[in-house]
Amino acid sequence: MSFTASFQNKEETKDFKEGLTIQDVLDDLELSSETVVAKQNGDIVVEDTEIQDGDEIKLIQIIYGG
């Protein structure tokens, strides 16, 4: 099984085993859920969402400022 992940203009296809979650991907990339929003196939999802075969996962950096 595989999914496509994109973050900061980088895109790659990754193989995975059943049960992989968005949080697992964030941990693998050393990213915090406090600074990144995840979209699965175009929909915003929470960290415990399981990834399915063929999913497109897009990680979007949150920008803070004032």
Side-chain angles (χ1 to χ4, degrees):
M1 296 193 300
S2 65
F3 70 97
T4 303
S6 61
F7 180 66
Q8 296 183 336
N9 299 321
K10 297 178 191 173
E11 185 174 299
E12 67 179 274
T13 300
K14 297 181 174 255
D15 294 325
F16 72 100
K17 294 180 181 178
E18 189 174 331
L20 185 75
T21 65
I22 297 294
Q23 186 63 55
D24 296 327
V25 174
L26 294 175
D27 291 345
D28 184 51
L29 296 171
E30 298 180 359
L31 297 171
S32 169
S33 60
E34 294 177 4
T35 61
V36 174
V37 171
K39 292 179 87 176
Q40 180 181 39
N41 304 320
D43 296 323
I44 295 174
V45 294
V46 296
E47 295 78 29
D48 63 351
T49 300
E50 285 193 22
I51 297 172
Q52 304 299 316
D53 189 36
D55 278 351
E56 292 181 17
I57 305 299
K58 185 171 186 176
L59 303 174
I60 304 165
Q61 186 76 46
I62 299 171
I63 300 173
Y64 294 99

